[in-house]
Structure formats: structure tokens, C-alpha cells
Amino acid sequence: MTATLRLDPPADPGHNAPPPGTAIPNAPAVRRRKRPGAARRGEARAGLAMALPAVLLLLAFLIVPVLLGFALSFTNARLVSPEPPRFVGLDNFVRAFTLDPVFFRSALNTFAFAAVVVPLQAGFGLFLALLVNQRIRGVTAFRVIFFIPVVTSIVVVSILWKFMYQPDGLVNSLIDSITFGAWQGTAWLNNPSTALTAIIVLSVWQAVGFHMLIWLSGLQTVPEELYEAARMDGAGVWRQFKDVTWPCLRPTRIFVLVTITIAALGLFVQIDVMTQGGPVDSTTTLVHHAVVTGYRQQQTGYGSALSLIFFVLVLAVSLIQRHLTRDKD
């Protein structure tokens, strides 16, 4: 009997390969699919670690003070007192609306200041933006000149203007020169009828450069093709501004309106540096009154109540602005 030896052909690497897409247990691909999940978890932990300092700062300097101020507004807490705070309910709010005449005067001054500054600063900023948007030589220098007061400290600006408003200061000297001695000027910051107006002029001058840049950025986003089409239709400068520029500036208008309003309602530094709320409370504002009451008079509970009232008023103004500027389309 002859034995037959059969030799199997060598396995073809591609002959017995599984069809594409067939899962193979314990294959390296399975282990590779697990790695993206671990990488994502590592990235999440790294992101949380990087966000943690900002979260802690927000909690320490924003969330906790807001909650603490809300709680203190219903107490008779004082800044330095041997007695613990006692819950008094709505007594602080009743006191503000019935027993504190400075509160009403400060609210009137705050809204009067905002009512004048918002349109004046927005309009003047738009006018300057239209001027420096021209393609002429040296226009960059004018942009820098108009913006310099913005980057200058408001405390320094207030001190300089306080000297300028003195009876023998630069403002009265300039008035005397222009009128050839017919009008000698006045003590601007010591006169109740002119003190708030003087602060309005300072505030508009100091911040108008910032809003000029905002308007300028909006102007530079208007397509030039729209102006060319308007000129082809025979539109003059005013028609181009009315029918092309102004409608295209709607988002910019809303931003400028909101930012100026918030800054105007929060007026404090100029008052504290130049007049301390005087003379005869003619320049005190809600923020200044709350700070003076809460810290200098050490009535922390009542100062917190004033701050909460101010927050509600600003929120109401913001909601009204949001309603008036909403997209009606």
C-alpha cells in the first residue's frame, strides 16, 4: 500500500480574509474605538480645570455678592456693629419710598442725566464717525485724538475737569476771552443749577470717542454697492444717509443705545470725585446714594435695598429698550 501525502496549498492572505465590515473580537480596532472616549473624558477634565479659576472668581465676586446683597436688603445690618443683623422685612424699601427724600432726588438726577446723555452722546458719536470715515489724508490722527479721552482714567479726567470748572479755571477764562469780558462765568460745580450740566458735558466728552469707533465699525460694514445704486438713482448725501446708511446701522444703533444707557444709569465716579453729590444733592445719583449709605454711613442693609431697587429700575429700562428695538419682522 502506498501512502499518499497531500500537501495543502499555502493560505492566501486575501483568500480567507473576512468580508469588509465584519467585527473581529479582541481585534486592535476594538481597542482603538475605546480611545476616543477616554480622550474626550481627558479633554473634559482639562477644560473643567482651566475653567475652574474663572468660575471661582465669578462665584466670589459676582454670584455670592449678589445673593448676599439680596439677603441683606431685608435686614438692618450695619457694616460695623456688635449686634447681629435682624430681619426687618420690607422696612428698608418703605423707608426709601416714604422717608428718604435723597432717594427721589437721586433717582430724578439719574434719569435726567441718562435722558440727556444717551441721545447727545450717540448723536455726537455718529457725527464724528461720519467725519472720520472719509478717505482723506490724516484721518487716522483724528481718530486717535478723539479716542484718547476714552483710554484715560476717568478719575484723572474728573480731577482735571474739576480744576477747569473752578471760578478761575480754564472754562471761565475761555468764556471771558470769547465774550470780551461781558460774561465772567460762574462757579460751575458749586451752583445747583449748573453742576449736573457740567458733569454731563464732561461725561459726553470723555466717552464719545468709544461710541465713535462703534459707529465707525458699523459704517464700514455698509456695502459700497448700495451707495453706488443710490447715486445712480440721483440720491444726494442726505438721501444716501437716510435710505442706505441709517437702515444698515440698525444693529449698531441697538448696541450703542444699550451701552450708553447702562453707563449713564451707573454714573458714580464723576460725582464722587467732583461734587460728592452736592451742592444740595443736585448731582447725587442712585449708585452714589447707595454707596454712601452702605459704606460711609455703614447702613449695609439699607444700602443693599437701594441697590436692589436700582437693579429693578435698570432691568425695567432694559426690557423697555428691548421691546422698542425688537425686530418687528
Side-chain angles (χ1 to χ4, degrees):
M1 177 179 294
T2 303
T4 303
L5 180 62
R6 187 177 65 183
L7 298 176
D8 293 334
D12 187 2
H15 180 72
N16 296 322
T22 304
I24 302 177
N26 301 324
V30 176
R31 291 192 296 270
R32 284 197 297 269
R33 281 199 297 269
K34 294 180 180 178
R35 291 176 184 172
R40 284 193 295 269
R41 288 193 294 270
E43 292 176 357
R45 286 193 293 268
L48 290 176
M50 289 186 287
L52 184 60
V55 173
L56 293 177
L57 290 175
L58 286 175
L59 287 174
F61 295 102
L62 181 63
I63 306 299
V64 173
V66 168
L67 296 178
L68 184 61
F70 180 80
L72 289 176
S73 63
F74 299 96
T75 67
N76 65 342
R78 296 186 63 87
L79 190 61
V80 179
S81 176
E83 299 180 359
R86 179 173 53 86
F87 180 77
V88 295
L90 299 176
D91 289 355
N92 289 328
F93 301 95
V94 174
R95 172 186 172 185
F97 287 100
T98 60
L99 301 175
D100 188 1
V102 181
F103 169 76
F104 286 100
R105 186 61 186 270
S106 63
L108 178 63
N109 292 336
T110 299
F111 286 102
F113 178 86
V116 176
V117 167
V118 170
L120 189 62
Q121 189 166 302
F124 194 37
L126 177 58
F127 174 73
L128 292 179
L130 292 171
L131 290 181
V132 300
N133 194 38
Q134 307 299 320
R135 297 178 181 178
I136 58 177
R137 180 177 298 179
V139 68
T140 303
F142 285 100
R143 295 177 184 177
V144 173
I145 292 172
F146 293 145
F147 191 73
I148 285 177
V150 179
V151 298
T152 307
S153 171
I154 185 60
V155 176
V156 175
V157 172
S158 300
I159 293 174
L160 291 177
W161 278 73
K162 184 178 181 179
F163 285 110
M164 292 170 58
Y165 279 135
Q166 289 181 352
D168 56 348
L170 179 61
V171 174
N172 284 341
S173 299
L174 182 62
I175 293 175
D176 182 71
S177 300
I178 294 176
T179 60
F180 300 101
W183 186 34
Q184 302 297 325
T186 183
W188 297 94
L189 298 178
N190 295 327
N191 189 340
S193 62
T194 60
L196 187 60
T197 303
I199 293 177
I200 288 174
V201 174
L202 155 67
S203 302
V204 172
W205 175 85
Q206 191 271 336
V208 72
F210 172 75
H211 296 98
M212 176 200 71
L213 287 185
I214 302 300
W215 285 117
L216 182 61
S217 64
L219 290 172
Q220 294 180 349
T221 60
V222 180
E224 184 63 27
E225 294 80 4
L226 298 179
Y227 291 111
E228 294 179 359
R231 285 191 292 267
M232 292 177 62
D233 291 339
V237 176
W238 170 247
R239 285 288 303 278
Q240 292 180 37
F241 175 81
K242 177 178 175 292
D243 297 334
V244 177
T245 306
W246 188 248
C248 293
L249 290 178
R250 184 179 183 278
T252 308
R253 293 201 308 267
I254 295 175
F255 179 80
V256 170
L257 176 65
V258 172
T259 53
I260 296 179
T261 302
I262 293 176
L265 293 177
L267 176 67
F268 172 75
V269 176
Q270 299 93 308
I271 302 298
D272 194 56
V273 173
M274 302 177 71
T275 62
Q276 293 78 47
V280 199
D281 297 323
S282 61
T283 59
T284 186
T285 60
L286 285 173
V287 176
H288 185 265
H289 183 41
V291 171
V292 170
T293 302
Y295 290 96
R296 297 177 188 174
Q297 299 178 6
Q298 300 187 4
Q299 301 179 37
T300 310
Y302 184 53
S304 299
L306 294 175
S307 300
L308 184 58
I309 295 173
F310 173 72
F311 168 76
V312 173
L313 292 176
V314 173
L315 179 62
V317 172
S318 301
L319 292 176
I320 293 173
Q321 286 184 337
R322 178 67 181 88
H323 176 74
L324 296 177
T325 59
R326 72 187 188 280
D327 191 356
K328 297 180 176 59
D329 295 335

